[in-house]
Amino acid sequence: MVSSLFLARLPGSLQRLTKPLLLQGLALITGLAGLGVLPLGGTGRALALNAYCQVTQADALAKENLRKAALEGDAAAQQQYQTLVRQHTEAMKQCRSRTWPQKQAVWLRLYPCDLQPGILDALFDRVVNLGYNEVFIEVFYGGQVLLPQADNPTVWPSVVQTPGYERRDLFAEALEKGRQRGLKVDAWVFALNFGYSYGLRADREQVLALNGRGQTTYTYAKSGASSNPDEVFVDPYNAQAQADYSRMLGAVLRRQPDGILFDYVRYPRGVGPNSVVDSVDDLWIYGQASRDAFLRRAVNQQGQELMRRYISRGHLVDRDIQDVRDLYPSEPEPLWQSRTPSSPLQPGQAPPTPASLRPQLQTELWQLSVAHAVQGVVDFVNLAGEQARRTGIQPGAVFFPEGNQTVGTGGYDSRLQYWDRFPTWMTWHPMAYAVCGNTGCILDGVRRVQSMVPSGTSPTITPALAGIWGQATYNRPALETQMEALRRATPDITSVSHFAYSWQDPEFDRVRKFCSL
């Protein structure tokens, strides 16, 4: 008999999964034939999970009713509830060990209301009910951090500011509740997007990334040029930015999550014409720290002076080339990192004219400027990842598969997210969110990532899919359709994540957010 999915009483989107849809989903998965019935030692009871390792309606109801009774002080119910939680933990472990994918994670945001009695238990019960054995908890996002007010050494405000909860550590409590249910619990943190609150700080204005038009990412976002007005990005070369981030990261890592994922490892995503970077003025390299680091890439004085003139004006003129020759006559030509010196002039041979050199030098300086912007992002995520590795916690990077593309002739995606240069000792989490009404574009993104893995390396690739079980949404197929397409196309991938828990259970997410439980 086929069971429906269940989300403990609330009529969330998952309860709209009909029997025909579930039958279709079961037929898609070849790892299990029909329902898996898992005998649980010592209880004399069999727990039925479906082909997605999801708990049946009856078992989810039983667990929820016992949780509520236990919360009201029923000691017998408390014991029975804990027994059922352990049964579900063991059933999930067994089911995932023999069902693709072996790791199935969900992205989750916590709210201050989750600190109310019993809510974290209910939340993580539901996560397990849905077949997940890993959860990515948002810890640093939107200019705030999931640290208690009484133990927050960062420059960001705490997510929880409820009076009387100053010492409650929501992230630490979630780690404990999740692990009690056999879940791997990772921290999910923004990287270069430090948030709107950071942009408001007068003592951090010089830390923000700056473009050649005099806009910080804060003023740029306020003008409507970026995809989200609340996203404020910092200059990755800025030592203050690195120190602020390291302090936050240290506080998160001290709570010993099972892993840590870095998101927003990029520059702002512009809208309209701002979505393409095709001029040096578009680059976020004009902050003092980034500018200084750029000029340090010069190999000689001619090179440095030409680089300075290029980013100051946005282009070269013929006179610039003659000027640097006159200023530094002992140097045969301008040089900077990655520039190959020309062959020495033969006796009596005149140097190339400035007019003949200018187009090539300008092209090379454009490429150097883009590479410098990109390297700042790569260096920042390396620095953060190494800090995590030193504590024994596995880091990962979250990125858009298309974020490293060129656009047109000489243009680049404004995010400059060259994830193919991210360290391969990190786990890679490509956000396969493409929308085309079917799974083709989603699979194209995952295949692109696989094809660009550096030779001789094998990072763990965990695609992130966006969608809802049993229901097509936002012109995306239902999750089970995406999952089966991914399994068939990339069977070597054994870990997948779903964005986001709030999509699967929107009503429970809403009541948790507004304390209307």
Side-chain angles (χ1 to χ4, degrees):
M1 174 176 144
V2 175
S3 169
S4 62
L5 304 180
F6 179 71
L7 280 179
R9 292 186 180 274
L10 287 176
S13 61
L14 281 177
Q15 295 185 28
R16 294 193 292 271
L17 183 56
T18 62
K19 183 175 179 179
L21 277 172
L22 185 55
L23 282 167
Q24 178 187 14
L26 291 173
L28 290 172
I29 299 295
T30 59
L32 292 175
L35 291 176
V37 180
L38 304 176
L40 298 173
T43 65
R45 183 179 182 280
L47 182 67
L49 302 184
N50 71 13
Y52 303 102
C53 297
Q54 293 164 334
V55 172
T56 65
Q57 177 176 357
D59 284 316
L61 259 177
K63 184 166 58 175
E64 174 64 3
N65 289 335
L66 287 170
R67 183 194 67 81
K68 289 179 176 179
L71 194 62
E72 293 170 359
D74 186 328
Q78 173 67 26
Q79 185 175 357
Q80 292 174 330
Y81 171 65
Q82 293 300 333
T83 298
L84 197 52
V85 166
R86 287 193 297 270
Q87 289 177 350
H88 285 196
T89 298
E90 180 59 27
M92 173 65 67
K93 180 180 177 181
Q94 292 183 33
C95 186
R96 286 260 74 101
S97 70
R98 66 187 190 187
T99 306
W100 184 93
Q102 279 66 54
K103 291 184 179 180
Q104 183 169 271
V106 67
W107 304 76
L108 172 67
R109 175 175 290 184
L110 298 177
Y111 304 109
C113 304
D114 290 330
L115 286 168
Q116 293 183 350
I119 303 307
L120 283 178
D121 286 310
L123 173 61
F124 287 111
D125 284 349
R126 289 164 181 257
V127 168
V128 171
N129 292 349
L130 287 168
Y132 297 107
N133 60 349
E134 188 167 6
V135 62
F136 303 150
I137 294 180
E138 208 169 13
V139 175
F140 171 58
Y141 64 96
Q144 54 186 345
V145 64
L146 196 63
L147 296 172
Q149 283 184 292
D151 185 19
N152 180 3
T154 79
V155 294
W156 292 278
S158 298
V159 171
V160 178
Q161 300 193 24
T162 309
Y165 283 6
E166 291 83 2
R167 298 189 178 279
R168 293 287 297 275
D169 193 332
L170 179 53
F171 182 46
E173 292 184 32
L175 283 167
E176 180 182 4
K177 294 293 186 182
R179 286 168 176 164
Q180 286 174 358
R181 291 158 176 80
L183 294 168
K184 181 181 177 185
V185 184
D186 302 327
W188 162 28
V189 294
F190 287 8
L192 291 170
N193 175 8
F194 277 23
Y196 190 78
S197 65
Y198 196 88
L200 292 173
R201 294 181 65 106
D203 62 344
R204 291 297 190 274
E205 186 175 1
Q206 80 287 356
V207 180
L208 305 185
L210 183 72
N211 66 19
R213 299 180 180 84
Q215 295 172 301
T216 66
T217 52
Y218 174 77
T219 56
Y220 180 82
K222 283 186 67 178
S223 74
S226 70
S227 58
N228 188 328
D230 294 330
E231 295 174 0
V232 176
F233 292 73
V234 294
D235 178 353
Y237 288 98
N238 190 283
Q240 184 67 65
Q242 294 167 7
D244 286 343
Y245 196 79
S246 177
R247 189 174 300 111
M248 178 279 297
L249 194 54
V252 172
L253 294 170
R254 280 194 293 276
R255 283 154 176 82
Q256 290 291 301
D258 294 304
I260 188 160
L261 305 185
F262 300 105
D263 200 354
Y264 285 88
V265 193
R266 58 177 177 85
Y267 294 107
R269 182 178 195 168
V271 296
N274 295 302
S275 64
V276 179
V277 169
D278 55 13
S279 163
V280 68
D281 289 342
D282 296 330
L283 298 174
W284 300 100
I285 62 172
Y286 286 82
Q288 194 61 52
S290 185
R291 190 185 182 101
D292 289 348
F294 177 73
L295 294 176
R296 285 195 297 271
R297 298 191 187 279
V299 172
N300 63 9
Q301 291 177 306
Q302 276 197 26
Q304 187 175 84
E305 181 60 24
L306 214 56
M307 290 162 63
R308 181 181 289 109
R309 293 182 182 213
Y310 174 70
I311 63 169
S312 296
R313 193 189 298 118
H315 63 274
L316 296 178
V317 296
D318 295 348
R319 183 67 199 174
D320 292 330
I321 299 166
Q322 189 57 51
D323 283 349
V324 299
R325 286 176 175 174
D326 294 342
L327 284 168
Y328 308 105
S330 64
E331 298 176 352
E333 63 178 323
L335 293 175
W336 45 78
Q337 290 175 8
S338 77
R339 183 157 202 265
T340 303
S342 304
S343 300
L345 296 174
Q346 297 301 313
Q349 183 182 4
T353 65
S356 66
L357 278 177
R358 184 185 55 77
Q360 179 61 30
L361 287 173
Q362 187 160 286
T363 297
E364 290 183 27
L365 284 169
W366 165 238
Q367 293 168 346
L368 176 69
S369 303
V370 172
H372 172 70
V374 167
Q375 194 60 47
V377 173
V378 174
D379 289 348
F380 192 91
V381 76
N382 265 283
L383 200 65
E386 288 286 5
Q387 184 176 347
R389 282 218 298 181
R390 287 195 298 271
T391 66
I393 294 172
Q394 175 63 48
V398 187
F399 55 85
F400 289 102
E402 67 279 6
N404 61 348
Q405 292 185 131
T406 56
V407 181
T409 305
Y412 297 86
D413 185 295
S414 61
R415 293 167 289 190
L416 290 178
Q417 191 171 46
Y418 275 72
W419 48 262
D420 49 303
R421 302 185 192 178
F422 290 173
T424 54
W425 40 261
M426 287 187 170
T427 54
W428 284 12
H429 298 258
M431 293 177 282
Y433 297 167
V435 176
C436 58
N438 57 62
T439 60
C441 53
I442 295 168
L443 297 179
D444 286 345
V446 178
R447 290 192 189 103
R448 184 169 191 267
V449 173
Q450 289 184 309
S451 72
M452 296 182 71
V453 171
S455 178
T457 67
S458 54
T460 299
I461 298 174
T462 302
L465 304 178
I468 299 175
W469 290 106
Q471 178 183 338
T473 183
Y474 305 122
N475 207 26
R476 292 187 179 94
L479 272 181
E480 58 268 28
T481 304
Q482 295 185 50
M483 291 286 284
E484 172 57 14
L486 184 66
R487 186 188 67 81
R488 289 185 182 276
T490 59
D492 53 320
I493 285 176
T494 59
S495 55
V496 179
S497 69
H498 297 156
F499 186 89
Y501 175 79
S502 60
W503 289 22
Q504 313 304 332
D505 196 359
E507 295 183 45
F508 189 50
D509 190 76
R510 184 171 60 253
V511 297
R512 286 171 45 236
K513 185 175 182 178
F514 297 108
C515 298
S516 54
L517 294 137

